Amino acid sequence: MSASEQLQSLIRSMETDLGIEPNAFIHETNQSIKIKDRNKKIMITKSMHQPEITKLDIRVGQITKVWKHETAEKLFCEEINVGEERPRLIASGLVAHYSLEEMQNRRVLVLCNLKPRNLMGFRSHGMVLCAVVQLENENEKVVLVTPPEDAVIGERITFEGLQGEPISPAQVEKKKVLLVLGEEMKTDDKGIAKWKEHEFQTSKGPCTASVTNGVIR
């Protein structure tokens, strides 16, 4: 008798001893596999239909400490409170656009589900969101996207009518979510931050920038 036949014989013997319908165990196992397969298909379908913007974990943050990078002239190094146990360490290329005083204690939007990156020896874990407009002299005007002053630190940005949980940093990179979003994240003609027609919302109102029709990145 083969090993497979011995196993089936043992299962039938156990079913008889326990008063279980013959092949019930095998049937239940097959049903379990079918249920798992169905659940996997449901998860894949949900992911396919989830709005891209809801795959991002964008939170209200506050810069608690900021200093200039020791060797990279364009970089600020920041500690940002996003409602976690410890502040996030994030580097931002904003030296040409803001002073240290303007950055200190400032409220910002932080994209949290990104893989950490080493920027000139500084390990940056996230990204602050800015609105960018192209100027006539080919320079760019870059301004921070700002939540309402009374927005809750750590609050996740929502989009009316859209639902979905953030995906992992690895998935954000693999699925090229930021590339897919392209220039669909913008400020409108009133400076309100939007994805398509959906506002970047907090419990205290929309997020804004001091430039209109700027691409958010």
Side-chain angles (χ1 to χ4, degrees):
M1 183 182 291
S2 68
S4 175
E5 289 172 334
Q6 288 178 342
L7 178 60
Q8 290 182 8
S9 176
L10 177 60
I11 290 173
R12 282 195 293 271
S13 176
M14 290 172 62
E15 289 173 338
T16 300
D17 292 342
L18 295 171
I20 298 173
E21 181 183 348
N23 297 321
F25 177 77
I26 296 173
H27 175 72
E28 288 296 327
T29 301
N30 289 338
Q31 284 294 101
S32 176
I33 292 171
K34 288 179 182 177
I35 290 170
K36 287 180 180 179
D37 287 345
R38 186 167 68 247
N39 288 342
K40 186 176 181 180
K41 288 178 182 177
I42 290 171
M43 288 178 65
I44 292 172
T45 301
K46 283 183 177 179
S47 177
M48 288 174 61
H49 293 288
Q50 181 179 352
E52 290 297 316
I53 193 67
T54 65
K55 296 177 182 179
L56 299 182
D57 184 9
I58 304 172
R59 298 186 218 163
V60 175
Q62 184 170 25
I63 299 172
T64 56
K65 184 178 180 181
V66 58
W67 63 99
K68 288 185 178 180
H69 193 285
E70 291 182 357
T71 57
E73 294 181 356
K74 296 181 179 180
L75 289 182
F76 281 129
C77 300
E78 305 127 9
E79 290 185 2
I80 305 180
N81 178 8
V82 291
E84 297 173 333
E85 185 176 347
R86 295 181 179 180
R88 293 241 179 170
L89 293 174
I90 295 177
S92 307
L94 295 172
V95 170
H97 307 283
Y98 288 92
S99 67
L100 279 171
E101 291 73 22
E102 289 172 323
M103 293 289 286
Q104 184 65 43
N105 296 320
R106 195 180 188 99
R107 293 203 171 205
V108 292
L109 294 190
V110 179
L111 178 52
C112 292
N113 56 338
L114 295 177
K115 281 186 174 181
R117 294 187 302 159
N118 284 316
L119 298 176
M120 300 294 290
F122 182 85
R123 192 165 177 79
S124 180
H125 195 184
M127 180 174 75
V128 296
L129 295 185
C130 296
V132 182
V133 292
Q134 197 74 34
L135 302 177
E136 291 182 1
N137 59 6
E138 296 187 358
N139 290 329
E140 291 180 331
K141 183 173 183 179
V142 180
V143 300
L144 290 161
V145 180
T146 306
E149 275 299 316
D150 52 351
V152 179
I153 300 298
E155 177 180 3
R156 187 184 174 212
I157 300 304
T158 59
F159 301 85
E160 187 175 1
L162 304 180
Q163 294 183 346
E165 292 300 313
I167 61 178
S168 70
Q171 288 176 311
V172 170
E173 183 177 284
K174 181 179 179 180
K175 296 177 184 293
K176 297 180 170 56
V177 176
L178 293 178
L179 186 62
V180 172
L181 289 170
E183 296 189 359
E184 293 179 329
M185 293 193 297
K186 300 182 73 173
T187 56
D188 65 11
D189 55 7
K190 295 181 181 178
I192 297 174
K194 290 183 175 181
W195 176 70
K196 297 184 177 180
E197 72 276 15
H198 302 278
E199 295 180 354
F200 283 53
Q201 279 285 348
T202 71
S203 58
K204 300 298 182 180
C207 302
T208 59
S210 60
V211 297
T212 59
N213 304 310
V215 176
I216 296 173
R217 61 188 190 202

